[in-house]
Amino acid sequence: MDPIALATTISALTGVCLKTVGSLNALQTNFTNHEQTIKSMCSECTAISASLTKIQSCVLQDITPLDHFQLKGIFDTIITGCRVLFACLEQDLEKLSAEAPAIRSWKPWSSVSKSNGDWDQKRMSRYLADARMQQGALILLNEFLMM
């Protein structure tokens, strides 16, 4: 993958990360029982976005790391992992967003915090764990690129 293509891919993925943070923030008012999970996911997505931006900057400044055959595979694996994570997460967040207004209008006199809709805590915890693993991989890649 050439540096420009990689930088473009990373830029698009960074946009997806930030969109996901926006979606999570929008859901926070409807799922107050899961506020900690949502905040943690926002934090991880923001950290992933920052790591991706740092990698993008390194790649555009110095293309020699891309010449290493093994590093190309690592880039590909990490970028693919991020794409899959955010595609699945965004799909679930879109479903929750579509249901959230219905949840709120169903019982407007009741506490919103009692309304959990179809929030699947196990699934969201897995997304959080996956995001943390992706962030760890990005940190290692950034460290390698700094050598």
Side-chain angles (χ1 to χ4, degrees):
M1 186 177 274
D2 69 286
I4 301 299
L6 183 60
T8 303
T9 300
I10 290 173
S11 180
L13 196 50
T14 301
V16 171
C17 290
L18 298 176
K19 180 182 178 226
T20 301
V21 170
S23 298
L24 286 164
N25 281 328
L27 285 174
Q28 199 166 1
T29 57
N30 291 315
F31 297 98
T32 56
N33 287 347
H34 305 288
E35 187 174 356
Q36 186 61 39
T37 302
I38 293 172
K39 284 182 179 180
S40 295
M41 290 174 73
C42 285
S43 177
E44 288 301 323
C45 291
T46 302
I48 288 171
S49 175
S51 292
L52 286 169
T53 301
K54 190 173 179 182
I55 289 170
Q56 181 183 28
S57 177
C58 288
V59 166
L60 289 175
Q61 288 176 3
D62 183 16
I63 62 169
T64 54
L66 294 177
D67 293 334
H68 300 303
F69 179 73
Q70 293 133 344
L71 196 56
K72 288 180 183 181
I74 293 169
F75 270 113
D76 188 45
T77 301
I78 291 174
I79 297 299
T80 302
C82 285
R83 280 182 175 168
V84 169
L85 170 66
F86 286 105
C88 293
L89 178 57
E90 195 61 36
Q91 184 179 14
D92 282 347
L93 292 178
E94 285 175 8
K95 282 189 230 174
L96 287 171
S97 294
E99 295 167 1
I103 294 167
R104 181 174 270 174
S105 64
W106 176 250
K107 295 181 181 176
W109 57 86
S110 69
S111 172
V112 175
S113 65
K114 294 180 183 176
S115 172
N116 289 318
D118 286 337
W119 183 272
D120 183 351
Q121 184 60 32
K122 283 185 179 181
R123 176 178 274 180
M124 293 302 164
S125 293
R126 273 186 279 146
Y127 283 136
L128 180 57
D130 290 348
R132 287 179 175 151
M133 285 189 285
Q134 286 295 327
Q135 175 59 8
L138 289 166
I139 288 170
L140 289 173
L141 182 58
N142 271 315
E143 290 296 320
F144 182 77
L145 290 173
M146 292 296 163
M147 292 179 157

